[in-house]
Amino acid sequence: MKHDKSIAWPGGAKCAVMLTFDFDAETLWTGRDARNKQRPGVLSQGRYGATVGVPKILEMLSEEEAPATFFVPGWTVENHTDKVEMILKEGHEVGHHSYSHIWVSDDPAAEAEEFEKGLASLEKVGVKPKGFRSPAGEVSSGLLTTQAKAGLLYDTSLMDDINPYRHILPDGSKGPIELPWHWSLDDAPFALFSIASPRPIFTNSHILEVWKEEFREIYRWGGLFDLVMHPQITGRPSRIALLREMIAFMRSFPDVWFATGAEVAEAWAALEAEGKV
């Protein structure tokens, strides 16, 4: 059930902040166009996210003592295992992000296969994910049921609120808790360039203006600020500086709670059990 009132976040916080990273690596490119598997130049952008982006982001998060959630496709788990283990060693959450980052929401069988393969890859590195984010927010209603059967606590694929809410499945049973996001809080529309679909690369000041103004109002509303980033984008040198500045800006507000997706979902579930949402 959705709501139009502020949430009583833990510790009396007025706003919850999720720093999330979609660690797609090369799947961001191969999932959209299989021909990219034979294009080293294109793939090198994704590889940068793994080899440089993730370690530098983890270094910055450690310095800032900020928790984060990394949503990782199964292919990335298998091909950049050391970086996933690095994320886990730093104490961050690892969530489910399909297997190969392809859009399959119009093919239930393929969607289910992507989910199961990705789940199996995560389990091989000792991760039993609590949350799922679909590639580009493309998700069928059936996948929410699949998530519930797999025991996942939350989904973060939809954009229809600024606070968590509970999905109700077709059979009337409770589904995952939704932790909404939005394209305006995603680094990709501002800074992901492709020859196949060229678009402007915006300056830090432009991105910060959008993010800061959105945070200011979500804070005032008492909502969830779910920031979506990608290591191959925000892992670039100046963009890491951008994120550091954004964290400092959010911390200039009193009573802001930085948390993982699992922590946010668990806090909301506790409020739901008490009838407070």
Side-chain angles (χ1 to χ4, degrees):
M1 181 174 64
K2 299 175 192 174
H3 44 75
D4 57 3
K5 61 182 180 180
S6 61
I7 297 294
W9 297 111
K14 296 180 180 179
C15 177
V17 172
M18 285 170 56
L19 302 177
T20 72
F21 298 88
D22 293 359
F23 181 16
D24 305 326
E26 291 94 328
T27 68
L28 179 63
W29 307 97
T30 58
R32 294 296 169 271
D33 187 345
R35 294 173 297 178
N36 283 336
K37 294 178 181 179
Q38 308 302 321
R39 294 168 174 164
V42 173
L43 295 181
S44 67
Q45 300 171 86
R47 192 165 62 253
Y48 174 93
T51 59
V52 181
V54 166
K56 283 297 185 180
I57 287 168
L58 291 174
E59 180 181 289
M60 187 274 293
L61 291 172
S62 177
E63 292 169 354
E64 296 295 328
E65 297 182 346
T69 301
F70 289 76
F71 294 98
V72 190
W75 186 95
T76 302
V77 174
E78 294 172 359
N79 289 273
H80 298 291
T81 309
D82 60 329
K83 299 308 186 297
V84 178
E85 291 174 341
M86 186 182 296
I87 292 166
L88 294 169
K89 186 177 180 180
E90 288 291 316
H92 300 292
E93 179 187 6
V94 169
H96 193 338
H97 195 42
S98 82
Y99 178 78
S100 59
H101 209 268
I102 57 175
W103 290 1
V104 287
S105 59
D106 57 350
D107 185 341
E111 187 178 54
E113 181 182 2
E114 277 281 304
F115 183 88
E116 294 302 330
K117 284 183 67 178
L119 195 62
S121 298
L122 288 169
E123 289 174 348
K124 288 177 182 177
V125 293
V127 173
K128 184 174 175 56
K130 292 187 176 181
F132 176 87
R133 173 174 285 157
S134 64
E138 294 295 322
V139 56
S140 75
S141 58
L143 190 57
L144 294 170
T145 299
T146 300
Q147 290 180 45
K149 288 180 178 178
L152 269 66
L153 173 65
Y154 72 91
D155 178 76
T156 177
S157 304
L158 306 184
M159 297 179 272
D160 49 355
D161 208 331
I162 59 125
N163 262 322
Y165 64 89
R166 173 76 69 178
H167 284 288
I168 301 300
L169 302 178
D171 64 1
S173 63
K174 288 185 175 181
I177 295 166
E178 186 66 37
L179 305 182
W181 68 292
H182 190 262
W183 283 116
S184 62
L185 296 179
D186 187 314
D187 60 5
F190 302 105
L192 179 67
F193 181 84
S194 168
I195 293 295
S197 55
R199 56 190 174 194
I201 297 176
F202 290 94
T203 62
N204 279 6
S205 60
H206 179 108
I207 300 170
L208 280 166
E209 183 177 357
V210 175
W211 288 1
K212 286 179 176 180
E213 292 306 314
E214 189 74 358
F215 173 79
R216 199 187 306 274
E217 290 306 299
I218 288 177
Y219 176 87
R220 188 172 69 84
W221 290 17
L224 169 64
F225 187 82
D226 186 352
L227 191 58
V228 180
M229 297 163 284
H230 301 74
Q232 58 190 285
I233 302 172
T234 295
R236 297 296 305 180
S238 68
R239 306 306 191 183
I240 291 176
L242 178 158
L243 179 55
R244 193 188 298 274
E245 182 177 342
M246 186 66 198
I247 290 172
F249 172 78
M250 292 187 287
R251 283 183 169 159
S252 72
F253 289 70
D255 303 318
V256 175
W257 180 44
F258 285 78
T260 64
E263 289 170 336
V264 170
E266 286 164 356
W268 191 91
L271 292 171
E272 180 189 41
E274 297 171 5
K276 295 182 178 179
V277 290

